[in-house]
Amino acid sequence: MEDNGFNRRKFLASGAMATSAIVLGQLGFAQGSTNPLSNTNKGELAGHATGKGTLPTRKLGALEVTGIGLGCMSMTSNSYNPPRKKEDMVKLIRRAYEQGVTFFDTAEVYGAYTSEEYVGEALKPIRDKVVIGSKFGFVIDKDGKSIGRDSSPGSIRKAVEGSLKRLQTDRIDLLYLHRVDPNVPIEDVAGTVKDLIKEGKALHFGLSEPSLENIRKAHAVQPVAALQNEYSIMERVHEYKTLDLCEELGIGFVPWCPVVRGMMGDKFNEYIRFAPESRFVAVPYMSPEALQNNMGLLDLVREWADRKGATPIQISLAWLLAQKPFIVPIPGTTKLHHLKENLGAFDVSFTQAELNEFRSQIDKINLIGFRERESVLKDV
C-alpha cells in the first residue's frame, strides 16, 4: 500500500541508507555520550551477540539481550494475519539469529501453543546462544482459545512444563506472567516463579501489564528483570510513572506493539475499514475516527524519516531506543525484509536537541483512542 509517496518496503531499494546513517559510535553507545543510548551495555560493540551478525546489546535487569528482539506472536496466531507455515517461520527465526538477534519472545497462548513449537524447533540447534522469553497465565480451552486467567501455583507449574516441552529446552530464560490474575496474590505468583528459578526451570522473572503496586509487590519477592507493556511513539502512557519505577528498581522495559500494530509502516491509512471479525476493530485507536485523527503523528514520523534517510518504522524504533537505555522493543514480523528493516533502526540516531525538537512536535498532536495515564495504576 502506498501512502504519501512513501512505502516501508522501499528501504531495501536504498541500500545506501545505512551509509547515510550514523555509525554506532554516534548512536550513543560510547561512554560519556549525551544520547540516552549511552548506557547501553558495552559488550555489544565487541560482538557480544553470537549470531553471524552482531547487534548492540542491552540489559533487562541482569539479563543481556540484543537491543531489538523478535516478537513471534504473529507467526502463528490469527490476531493480525493468518498463521504462517511452520517451515517458513523456522527459517525466518534462524535468519534473525544470523542477523545478530539473540532475543526471541513467545507465549503459550500464541497459536495457542504453536508459537512456542516454532521457536523451539528453530532455536534448538543454537539454544545456548539465544535468550527465550515466554509467558503463562491464561486458561486455554480445547480449541486453543483463551477463556480466562489462572496463575495459581499448580497452573503455573503445568504451563511451564508444557512450555519447556514445546520449546525443546530445559529452562526459560525470561518467564513472564502474561496478565495478572485478580484471584491470586501477585506475591504467590512471584514466589512460585522464585521456586522455578531455584529449580533451574526459569532464569529470570517478568511481568506484563501489571499495576505499579503489583510491580513493587512482585519485585519484593522475586526481582523482576523485565516489564513487557505496550509502548510506542503513539501509545506513551507508560511515560507516566512506569518508566521511572523501572529505573528505580533496575527493571528492563520490553515494548510490545512498538510500531503500533504496523501503523508506523504503510499497513493502514485514514480510509481503511476493518472486517467485523478483525482484532483491529476492538482497538480504540484503530477506529475510523481515530485513524483519521492520528495519521498526523505518522505524517510527522514520515518527515523525520525523510530527514534521517530512514523509514518510518526505523524512526519509530530508534525513537524508543533513545528514550531509556533499558528499553528493548520486540517488533514482530513474518517477513525477512521487514526484519532487516527493523534492525536498521540501530543505524538511526538522534542528538539530544533533535529528541527535544521531536518531542515538542509530538506533544502538539492530540491523539485519540489511547490510554489515560491513570490506567498504569491498574492491572490490564
Side-chain angles (χ1 to χ4, degrees):
M1 177 185 295
E2 294 284 343
D3 206 2
N4 287 359
F6 193 96
N7 189 296
R8 70 178 293 200
R9 293 160 181 82
K10 286 183 180 178
F11 87 100
L12 286 175
S14 56
M17 183 170 56
T19 61
S20 76
I22 305 110
V23 295
L24 287 175
Q26 291 177 285
L27 255 171
F29 295 122
Q31 292 291 336
S33 167
T34 59
N35 191 297
L37 289 170
S38 61
N39 292 325
T40 297
N41 202 41
K42 285 302 292 179
E44 61 286 8
L45 296 185
H48 192 93
T50 50
K52 292 181 181 179
T54 56
L55 296 175
T57 62
R58 291 186 165 198
K59 287 289 191 71
L60 301 173
L63 179 63
E64 186 172 7
V65 298
T66 43
I68 294 176
L70 177 61
C72 299
M73 182 187 78
S74 61
M75 297 178 181
T76 64
S77 72
N78 279 304
S79 297
Y80 303 114
N81 50 248
R84 306 308 191 194
K85 292 181 180 179
K86 183 176 184 179
E87 58 267 30
D88 293 338
M89 296 301 96
V90 167
K91 182 178 179 180
L92 177 65
I93 293 169
R94 289 179 179 167
R95 290 297 300 274
Y97 171 75
E98 291 170 2
Q99 295 291 317
V101 176
T102 61
F103 183 35
F104 299 86
D105 182 84
T106 184
E108 66 165 352
V109 76
Y110 297 163
Y113 307 123
T114 49
S115 175
E116 288 184 324
E117 292 174 358
Y118 288 19
V119 170
E121 181 171 329
L123 298 181
K124 183 178 181 181
I126 49 174
R127 178 63 187 94
D128 293 335
K129 299 178 180 180
V130 297
V131 172
I132 297 175
S134 195
K135 312 175 195 72
F136 65 84
F138 285 109
V139 178
I140 303 170
D141 68 15
K142 60 182 179 62
D143 296 319
K145 304 294 184 181
S146 170
I147 58 173
R149 304 180 186 187
D150 186 355
S151 291
S152 60
S155 180
I156 294 173
R157 286 187 169 275
K158 180 180 178 181
V160 168
E161 290 302 326
S163 292
L164 290 172
K165 183 177 180 180
R166 289 184 292 273
L167 291 167
Q168 301 186 55
T169 186
D170 61 350
R171 81 280 184 191
I172 298 170
D173 301 289
L174 180 53
L175 181 63
Y176 291 96
L177 169 62
H178 208 154
R179 291 291 187 273
V180 172
D181 181 348
N183 298 314
V184 179
I186 196 72
E187 295 91 339
D188 292 353
V189 176
T192 302
V193 174
K194 184 174 185 176
D195 291 341
L196 289 166
I197 290 173
K198 289 178 180 178
E199 296 165 19
K201 294 180 179 180
L203 302 185
H204 301 271
F205 179 34
L207 298 171
S208 185
E209 299 290 356
S211 66
L212 300 183
E213 180 182 9
N214 273 332
I215 295 171
R216 288 191 181 277
K217 288 180 178 179
H219 190 76
V221 176
Q222 170 60 44
V224 176
L227 186 65
Q228 186 176 133
N229 290 358
E230 184 173 8
Y231 181 37
S232 67
I233 201 168
M234 282 193 169
E235 177 53 274
R236 302 188 303 277
V237 68
H238 291 292
E239 293 180 345
Y240 176 67
K241 295 189 176 183
T242 307
L243 291 177
D244 288 343
L245 181 59
C246 286
E247 195 157 28
E248 174 193 338
L249 299 179
I251 298 173
F253 194 100
V254 179
W256 59 266
C257 285
V259 294
V260 202
R261 293 174 167 87
M263 188 174 175
M264 288 295 101
D266 282 330
K267 193 168 184 178
F268 313 122
N269 60 35
E270 60 266 45
Y271 306 111
I272 196 166
R273 297 295 180 269
F274 301 109
E277 65 274 12
S278 171
R279 182 171 177 175
F280 289 116
V281 172
V283 179
Y285 57 78
M286 291 293 183
S287 71
E289 179 187 11
L291 279 174
Q292 185 172 9
N293 178 84
N294 297 338
M295 291 299 291
L297 182 50
L298 178 54
D299 291 339
L300 174 63
V301 172
R302 287 190 178 112
E303 291 176 12
W304 278 89
D306 290 342
R307 178 170 168 176
K308 290 289 188 179
T311 70
I313 289 286
Q314 291 167 339
I315 291 294
S316 301
L317 292 172
W319 182 88
L320 277 174
L321 291 172
Q323 301 311 302
K324 295 289 183 180
F326 51 81
I327 289 176
V328 179
I330 49 169
T333 187
T334 60
K335 297 178 175 64
L336 179 61
H337 60 280
H338 287 172
L339 170 69
K340 291 181 177 179
E341 179 185 10
N342 294 340
L343 299 180
F346 286 122
D347 296 320
V348 180
S349 72
F350 300 95
T351 66
Q352 189 59 54
E354 287 174 329
L355 287 172
N356 293 342
E357 178 188 356
F358 203 170
R359 175 69 68 166
S360 67
Q361 293 170 333
I362 291 171
D363 289 344
K364 292 176 183 177
I365 300 173
N366 183 30
L367 300 174
I368 61 174
F370 295 92
R371 293 167 58 184
E372 298 294 331
R373 68 179 191 172
E374 288 75 16
S375 67
V376 304
L377 305 177
K378 303 176 182 178
D379 301 315
V380 173

